[in-house]
Amino acid sequence: MKPFDIVIVGGGGAGLYAAMEAMKTNPGLNIAVLSKIYPNRSHTSAAQGGANAALANKAKDDTVEMHIFDTIKGSDYLADQDAVEVLCSEAPKIIRELENMGTPWSRLEDNTIAQRPFGGAGRPRCCYCADKTGHTILQTLYEQCLRKGVFFFNEYFALDLCVDGSRSRGLIAMNIKTGRIEAFPAKTVIFATGGYAKMYWNRSSNAAGNTGDGQAIAYRAGISLKDMEFVQFHPTGLRKSGLLVTEGARGEGGYLVNALGERFMSRYAPEKMELGPRDLVSRSLETEILEGRGFDSPAGKYLHLDLRHLGPELIKSRLPQIREMCMYFEGVDPIDEPIPVRPTAHYSMGGIDTDNFGRTGMEGVYAAGECGCVSVHGANRLGGNSLLDILVFGRIAGRAAAEEAGKFNPSPISETEVTAKELELRSFMQPSGHYERYGSLREDLGHTLGMNVGIYREATKIRQGIEEIATLKERFSHVRVFDSGDVYNTNLLQVLELRNMLDLAETVAAGALVREESRGSHTRTDFPTRDDINWHRHTTYTLEGTGPRLGFKPVVMGRYELQERTY
Amino acid sequence: MSDSTIQHNEDSRDVTFRVHRFNPQVDSKPYFDDYTIRLEKGITVLRALNYIKEHVDASLTFRAFCQAGICGSCAMRVNNMSKLACTTQVWDELDKCREPGIIKVEPLRNLPLIKDLVVEMDPLVEKMKGYSNWVDSKMPEENWGRKEFPVSEAEFLKYDKATDCILCASCVSECTILRANKQYVSPAVLLKSYRMNVDSRDSMHEQRLAGLVKDHGVWDCTHCYRCQESCVKHIPIMDAIHGIREEAIAERGVKDTSGARHAEAFMEDIGKKGKLVEATLPIRTNGVVWTMKNLLPMAFKMVLKRRTPPPPPLVKSTKDIEKFRAEFREMSGHVAKDHAKKSGE
Ligand SMILES: Cc1cc2nc3c(=O)[nH]c(=O)nc-3n(C[C@H](O)[C@H](O)[C@H](O)COP(=O)(O)OP(=O)(O)OC[C@H]3O[C@@H](n4cnc5c(N)ncnc54)[C@H](O)[C@@H]3O)c2cc1C
Ligand code: SF4
Ligand code: SF4
Ligand code: FES
């Protein structure tokens, strides 16, 4: 079988932009996009807010320079400044490019792309399409890829890389619709598989499949990961599902109330109350729950977001979407009942360690999007910078891979390698005496992470988390796939995703333990301040034996000196 | 008395899911499995299915991803209507059960079945390709990224609703024409085509339109409103269908459209065979008078500037064929005159 020039794993914003750009760079290339779901279903579609770019349509005095500074400050100075410069200076170009290819944008009166204010930004520079920005960007990219004839392998699940010494030869994947294991020999591979925040399971706003597959595959192949301990939490996720209740609800005057009936934010932010900064509000909710002032339910402890005093009129007219969500997913009408909420894992800053061209530690392997870590978000991502990240670095990786693809001819993937993979998967279906169900393991993993490696972290708890993850890994060795069929075996897929999450959870916990400071999203109660002398550096993780070996990397500095992060 | 009224306000109760099962590797034909589980109020159908998969039957197969009504993966038929399992509350469905307490769950229709509740989506993607469901930018690619097209908010609003579509295929599953003719363009594809055709940045309106008026295209729609009624995002799909037809008439003329040709052929067909063939399904399902008013002369009506009446109740009989022919002749006459007048201006 002739090798592909580029195999892109992932059909979200990052993967599709990479595919488009690669085709543009060299239309003669043989490119394949593999995606475990139809590309238009990728989690990029969940982004409502928008994408940042200093177009200066709304605020005429906005500049790329200001965007750079906001991003670096937002990252708590852990972002690499050269990468941030690429991100922000490419931003206006990439947003215009999307516009030129047909993305619908909301418009200002002068017929330019509309922009709105977003957290942590000094100017209104978030470009949006109503409340469906990610969705419309993803649709446009998918449409354009269809126009260009990109070759899609939809509902293919990437399993593992095939490696020759220091170089990848392609990968092995499963055709979900038939269950067949297939080889994808490739000169270059780009991972664009999205984030890993779903490891917090029902304490996560993410889609069920944001299980960090690309990161786990890379990690197993010996590629380093970076900054995995940084996971961003959002204060108000729905109790049962973790889905987001956006800031709008508090903006309109909603109260946060504990089981004693107190508006507890008065303890933490007496002036701003419910409208304090996102991380502070998240920490406040968590404290209330930890100190026993939350409500109890089978789905876990929670607090109330009460909108009832706003009255039916206002709720119906200003917060219709939020009301609909509460009714759909929680069965609660906020006109009559308070909304059950708790903080929810939202975004993974860490990922596969890449340089500014998306190159990873292994020749021929690239990564982009939430799956990679360049790093432009450092310890804390700004709202609206993630869509931008996937577009800008998706495009760069696509171009870089296209330029490299011609220079290498990989040795083929053998039949034996494919058969070995088949046997490995079959082994999950072999009955053994004692067995475990993936469902309870997955839930226990989310629980452990939430309790021990969540918003508040502290050495003894993290250690407990690490032990529990080890136990879960042991239990996983007894996990059983009950569906023994080949066709569309989601039982098997969920087990494979769980394995990926377990591998990555170890790195998150290890990083949380070693980083003895508080920075951005990482809050250590035993080390409550930022420690620039010892910890102004990235953490890296390489698989050694069965666990991660930690390393460190300096932060690339530039024009901006370290400062305290205050707002 | 159904016990669902009695138990309705309860916070938990037993619910039975009667689920469509089919595994092509072992089953010769589909069958149903009943799963009875105890549920808390506030649970969605998707969460109930997840529960069954995790605790009762791991082989039960369905698609789900975002679990938030955004990605369009989990569309299936619940109590005979296509919808998203993840945004459907079990307690609401209890009201709609034909047999009290039993919720029926089936795969989408009009797309090939893969397993249990999973259907093949490729035919839909192929149609999107076939009808060029993308903006073919007026700007050459090498100039992209330099400056914006100026677009008014008013223009954006023309395709705002249409871009809400998450390609869940609920409308596809409910479409009456697709049940008889799988080659039919499909409501979601018409919607997307319309969205592209009203975008001033696009350069291939005419080509797209030419495709849409061919066989299996926009004129095949029976105007039954099923798609719009089932759209999970409440998109006025019919506006898009009207929009394309209007554009077709305006740009291609009445006589020239395949719509008109279609209508004639259709009538001849009835006249000659004296009985209804597959292509005349709309008559069978909606009645002759209604079909006459809605399907055939959409083109003519546009020209005559009449409003579409709401769909009348289903009529099974097909005996007013004679009356139908007479009216059709009369109407064609009107249109011909009207058309002549217009082109004379
Ligand atoms: C609720 C929510 C709201 C958000 N709002 C915003 C916002 O307003 N602004 C902003 O900038 N960011 C926002 N974000 C973050 C942003 O949406 C994501 O970071 C971004 O979309 C990730 O894009 P991606 O292309 O990297 O990955 P994704 O879009 O997640 O795509 C991943 C792709 O990889 C594929 N894949 C994964 N594993 C495999 C495998 N094993 N085999 C084959 N294929 C695989 C999947 O099929 C999918 O196609 C939000 C996130 C959430 C959860
Ligand atoms: S109105 Fe037309 S497209 Fe919609 S369901 Fe009826 S026949 Fe299908
Ligand atoms: S038009 Fe509505 S029902 Fe049809 S695919 Fe789009 S969102 Fe789904
Ligand atoms: S799972 Fe995404 S729409 Fe239901």
Side-chain angles (χ1 to χ4, degrees), chain A residues 173-490:
Chain A
M174 176 168 60
N175 179 344
I176 299 175
K177 287 171 190 168
T178 62
R180 249 176 63 108
I181 309 299
E182 298 177 20
F184 286 83
K187 299 178 183 176
T188 58
V189 173
I190 303 178
F191 284 107
T193 56
Y196 55 82
K198 195 60 189 177
M199 65 169 68
Y200 288 76
W201 202 244
N202 51 19
R203 297 145 190 271
S204 169
S205 66
N206 285 198
N210 283 14
T211 48
D213 297 355
Q215 296 90 323
I217 292 171
Y219 177 62
R220 280 200 293 272
I223 298 172
S224 299
L225 307 179
K226 186 163 75 190
D227 292 343
M228 295 293 285
E229 65 271 33
F230 294 103
V231 178
Q232 190 174 66
F233 284 81
H234 192 284
T236 53
L238 288 179
R239 163 195 50 178
K240 285 185 197 147
S241 54
L243 297 177
L244 276 204
V245 180
T246 58
E247 253 122 14
R250 280 172 288 135
E252 292 293 344
Y255 296 155
L256 286 165
V257 180
N258 64 19
L260 307 176
E262 300 168 323
R263 268 182 80 190
F264 57 83
M265 281 310 295
S266 61
R267 254 196 285 285
Y268 311 95
E271 288 198 1
K272 291 209 145 182
M273 295 293 285
E274 280 82 1
L275 297 177
R278 201 186 265 192
D279 52 341
L280 175 76
V281 181
S282 288
R283 287 198 286 270
S284 309
L285 269 93
E286 194 70 2
T287 307
E288 290 296 307
I289 290 173
L290 290 176
E291 294 183 355
R293 292 187 290 277
F295 298 90
D296 240 326
S297 80
K301 294 199 166 49
Y302 63 96
L303 295 153
H304 276 162
L305 173 58
D306 198 343
L307 307 182
R308 286 174 302 178
H309 59 282
L310 301 176
E313 289 315 306
L314 190 139
I315 294 176
K316 280 187 201 155
S317 63
R318 303 255 190 90
L319 303 168
Q321 306 239 351
I322 289 174
R323 176 167 179 242
E324 204 169 69
M325 257 190 56
C326 296
M327 299 204 294
Y328 282 166
F329 303 116
E330 207 62 44
V332 161
D333 184 346
I335 292 180
D336 307 319
E337 286 173 81
I339 310 168
V341 294
R342 63 174 164 182
T344 186
H346 187 49
Y347 181 82
S348 38
M349 269 76 75
I352 301 173
D353 182 14
T354 77
D355 67 8
N356 293 352
F357 294 94
R359 291 188 286 240
T360 69
M362 182 177 287
E363 272 182 85
V365 180
Y366 295 74
E370 194 171 335
C371 154
C373 178
V374 186
S375 124
V376 289
H377 309 300
N380 177 50
R381 165 192 76 111
L382 286 192
N385 264 359
S386 171
L387 282 180
L388 184 60
D389 170 17
I390 68 175
L391 303 169
V392 168
F393 289 99
R395 182 170 68 175
I396 290 175
R399 194 184 311 145
E403 280 161 7
E404 188 196 333
K407 300 177 194 149
F408 176 72
N409 226 347
S411 50
I413 296 172
S414 70
E415 208 51 52
T416 342
E417 287 171 281
V418 175
T419 317
K421 204 72 294 150
E422 270 164 15
L423 289 176
E424 186 191 322
L425 299 191
R426 277 280 144 206
S427 72
F428 284 114
M429 298 170 192
Q430 251 79 74
S432 64
H434 155 78
Y435 66 82
E436 292 278 352
R437 284 181 181 275
Y438 71 91
S440 73
L441 285 175
R442 212 163 56 175
E443 239 157 74
D444 290 353
L445 176 65
H447 184 74
T448 296
L449 288 169
M451 295 308 288
N452 302 311
V453 202
I455 295 182
Y456 285 123
R457 299 166 172 188
E458 185 240 318
T460 45
K461 290 206 123 188
I462 303 171
R463 284 207 185 87
Q464 188 179 337
I466 291 175
E467 263 173 46
E468 287 179 16
I469 294 167
T471 313
L472 288 170
K473 282 193 101 166
E474 207 288 316
R475 283 173 61 196
F476 181 83
S477 64
H478 303 287
V479 85
R480 168 116 179 252
V481 172
F482 290 88
D483 186 346
S484 55
D486 297 319
V487 176
Y488 223 97
N489 190 336
T490 48

